[in-house]
Structures are given as C-alpha cells and as structure tokens.
Amino acid sequence: MTHAYDASQIVVLEGVEAVRKRPGMYIGSTGERGLHNLVHEVVGLAIDEVLRGNAHRVEVVLLADGSVRVTHDGGYASSLERQLTTMATAPRNWTGCLAGTFGVSLFVVNALSDRLMAEEQRDGVTIHQEYACGEQTTPPHPTGPTEGASTTITLRPDPTIFETVVFDRSVLAARFRELAAVNRTLDLVLTDERGDAPHTERFHAPDGAREFLAHLGADPAEAIVVEREDDRMGGSMEIALAPAGDGEPRIAQFANSRRTHDGTHLEGFRDAVTAVLGADARLTAIISVKLDTPEFEGACRDVLGNTPVRTCVAEAVQHALETWRDQHPERATALTAR
C-alpha cells in the first residue's frame, strides 16, 4: 500500500528549538560525554584567544550550585552576543576541543543550559547579559566601570536535557592536561568548589609534548623531540618519543589540539619508525600537528586526512631517529628486544 506524500507534515526546526529537540546531533550525547563537551567548547574558545595572543590565562571553576564558570583575561575576536545567539556555520580550525565536529558553538552551549550568564570587561566598561534555555532574558548592558579586560561565562546545564548534570573533575582535568601539553603557552587553572575544601590544579606545560610523556608512562629525560614547521603541509609539528621501557607502548595523537583516532600524522610516524627501527620498536610517543586547514574524516571526524602531513612527519621523525640510533646503537637494538 502506498501513501501519498504530504509535504505539510514535514516539520522544520530551527535555532534554539532545533538544538534542544535533537541535542545529540550537536554534542554527540546527552550523557556525561555531551555534558563535558559544553565545558570543552567554552574552554576551547578561551584557549583560541590565548593562542592568538589576546589572553594569557584561563580559569575554570566548578561551582557548588552545579554551574561551571570559565574566565579568560581577554576578549573574543567576534561579538560575544552574536556567538551566543547565532549558530556557527563552520567548525573552528584551531583548538578543536570536541571529540567530534558537530558544528558546536557557544550558541549550542547556550541552548542546552537552563541558565547562562556572560560578562565582559572591555573598553573601560563591564557588560552583562543573561539567557535561559538559549533565550535572552537580559540584553547586554553596562553594569559599571572597569580597568581590566576579561570574559566570563557561567553556565548551568539543563537537567531536562542531560542524563547527569554533575561534572567529573577527573575527566576535565585529563583533557586540560592534554591541551596544556600541545599548547605550551597555555596557563589553565581548574578549581572545584563543590566539596568541603576547594581543590585547585594548574595545567601549564612549558616543555610541551616532552612533559606529557610522563603521563604516558615514559621517561621525559629520554625523549627524542621533533619540532618543525613545514610549508608543504601548511603547519607545524611537535613530536616527542621515548622508549616504552617495561610498560606498554602508548601513542597519543592530536591535530589542532583535538584527540584523533588515526590519520596521516600517525601514518607518517609509523613509516619513520619502521624504516629506522622496525615495526616492533617499543616506543611511547605524543604526536601533535597544527594545520592551517585541517581535514577530518571518519564517522566521528577523528581521523586526520591531510595527505602531505604523512610525508612531512615521516621525513622529520626518520631524520631524528637515525641520528639517535647512530649515537645509541645498543639502546636502539634493545627497543625491539622481547
């Protein structure tokens, strides 16, 4: 039996209504992962400003009432009100803090928060605005003079949207540690005020990828570090590798600060290791590339597709490994010993 097509039955959702009706399309999940994506997005935008040189420090506070406050000591490159009220038309290329690329923006964060307050200190004036479930309740207005520059966003996730609205400090800390490792100028402080006594942790890694090796179980003192800009791939690389020792070899890979599952940066790394030490070499590594125009593939958009990256990474890592092997032939042989 066939049914007549009735175009009048099609409902087109737009704006805030679309996000709140189908939140999984924008944040991937209404569980804990999606909840933390709200924080990652706001923090990611703040980090963008740090990397542009418009700010120096980011502070994240988990408040006793279940809200989270994110502050950075600068402004945004574009209008904050516009970002909160307009859907992003394209994902950011710089930090890419989310696991996927669902076009998430401050607009989505705002729509999925039952309350959001934003305050800017700029041009000698403090500007305040408020929202409820994505709808503006208090338009931007001056609240007093100021001598500094900062931007603060305080949000409370909507309990009617999320399965849980309790932020896990350890999950946030793990991601902030990664971000500090691949953005060495970043200075980020996480404070949890929900317990009897506040817990504060600072994430700052001036030695970059080398420092992160310790979290992967390797010795940073044995690190082989590769840092290079290469116009052929339209960006730069920072790679640190070290013998895995008695632990399992582990590789952490990032493209524009986003955790990736696979991609041309990993393929190039493996090409170099196989050429110099053999495919069974027991190495732990962190691979980070920053590209002007990253290309992400895969169902979760977590596979780097930029073809030139493979050759550039392979050449740089191979040269570094050959130099290290020639200087330490016995240690190089031990890497493949079982």
Side-chain angles (χ1 to χ4, degrees), residues 146-159:
T146 181
E147 295 181 356
S150 70
T151 304
T152 299
I153 293 178
T154 304
L155 68 97
R156 187 172 61 194
D158 191 339

Side-chain angles (χ1 to χ4, degrees), residues 158-181:
D158 191 339
T160 67
I161 297 290
F162 294 96
E163 299 166 18
T164 176
V165 290
V166 179
F167 294 106
D168 187 328
R169 185 179 72 217
S170 64
V171 171
L172 295 174
R175 180 59 179 143
F176 296 162
R177 187 173 294 109
E178 293 176 348
L179 289 170

Side-chain angles (χ1 to χ4, degrees), residues 220-244:
E222 296 187 334
I224 303 167
V225 179
V226 179
E227 296 181 54
R228 179 180 297 184
E229 293 188 9
D230 198 318
D231 291 339
R232 293 175 298 168
M233 71 178 199
S236 62
M237 69 184 80
E238 181 179 2
I239 300 167
L241 58 146

Side-chain angles (χ1 to χ4, degrees), residues 37-60 69-78 80 83 92 94-97 105-106 109 150-153 176 179 183 185-189 257:
N37 278 348
L38 298 184
V39 181
H40 294 327
E41 179 64 19
V42 180
V43 170
L45 285 165
I47 293 175
D48 285 346
E49 299 308 322
V50 172
L51 300 181
R52 291 189 183 104
N54 298 332
H56 302 91
R57 183 181 176 92
V58 179
E59 296 182 1
V60 181
R69 183 176 68 227
V70 180
T71 302
H72 68 274
D73 57 347
Y76 283 125
S78 60
L80 179 55
Q83 291 190 62
R92 304 191 321 277
W94 193 228
T95 61
C97 290
S105 64
L106 282 184
V109 174
S150 70
T151 304
T152 299
I153 293 178
F176 296 162
L179 289 170
N183 298 289
T185 61
L186 175 62
D187 190 355
L188 189 153
V189 175
S257 302

Side-chain angles (χ1 to χ4, degrees), residues 27-291:
I27 58 173
S29 165
T30 55
E32 186 178 277
R33 181 166 63 91
L35 177 74
H36 291 106
N37 278 348
L38 298 184
V39 181
H40 294 327
E41 179 64 19
V42 180
V43 170
L45 285 165
I47 293 175
D48 285 346
E49 299 308 322
V50 172
L51 300 181
R52 291 189 183 104
N54 298 332
H56 302 91
R57 183 181 176 92
V58 179
E59 296 182 1
V60 181
V61 182
L62 303 178
L63 300 168
D65 67 355
S67 301
V68 59
R69 183 176 68 227
V70 180
T71 302
H72 68 274
D73 57 347
Y76 283 125
S78 60
S79 164
L80 179 55
E81 182 185 15
R82 180 176 177 81
Q83 291 190 62
L84 288 167
T85 58
T86 306
M87 175 71 81
T89 57
R92 304 191 321 277
N93 281 341
W94 193 228
T95 61
C97 290
L98 297 185
T101 53
F102 298 94
V104 177
S105 64
L106 282 184
F107 176 81
V108 172
V109 174
N110 194 12
L112 299 179
S113 301
D114 74 349
R115 185 183 183 191
L116 185 145
M117 296 181 293
E119 187 172 272
E120 297 176 276
Q121 294 182 349
R122 55 182 172 84
D123 302 326
V125 179
T126 299
I127 305 295
H128 183 87
Q129 53 190 305
E130 294 189 20
Y131 299 81
C133 300
E135 302 293 343
Q136 192 172 74
T137 58
T138 304
H141 65 282
T143 59
T146 181
E147 295 181 356
S150 70
T151 304
T152 299
I153 293 178
T154 304
L155 68 97
R156 187 172 61 194
D158 191 339
T160 67
I161 297 290
F162 294 96
E163 299 166 18
T164 176
V165 290
V166 179
F167 294 106
D168 187 328
R169 185 179 72 217
S170 64
V171 171
L172 295 174
R175 180 59 179 143
F176 296 162
R177 187 173 294 109
E178 293 176 348
L179 289 170
V182 297
N183 298 289
R184 60 177 63 193
T185 61
L186 175 62
D187 190 355
L188 189 153
V189 175
L190 172 63
T191 300
D192 189 347
E193 296 184 349
R194 297 172 299 178
D196 294 334
H199 175 92
T200 298
E201 188 171 0
R202 183 187 182 199
F203 303 91
H204 181 53
D207 284 340
R210 180 195 296 269
E211 288 189 41
F212 195 72
L213 285 175
H215 295 283
L216 299 178
D219 184 357
E222 296 187 334
I224 303 167
V225 179
V226 179
E227 296 181 54
R228 179 180 297 184
E229 293 188 9
D230 198 318
D231 291 339
R232 293 175 298 168
M233 71 178 199
S236 62
M237 69 184 80
E238 181 179 2
I239 300 167
L241 58 146
D246 296 331
E248 283 297 314
R250 298 173 62 189
I251 296 178
Q253 48 179 300
F254 303 86
N256 287 35
S257 302
R258 177 187 302 171
R259 264 277 193 175
T260 53
H261 176 70
D262 203 347
T264 50
H265 53 335
L266 178 62
E267 292 169 352
F269 177 82
R270 287 174 171 165
D271 290 344
V273 172
T274 299
V276 180
L277 301 173
D280 295 329
R282 293 173 51 78
L283 289 170
T284 285
I286 174 172
I287 306 166
S288 174
V289 296
K290 299 278 183 63
L291 306 173

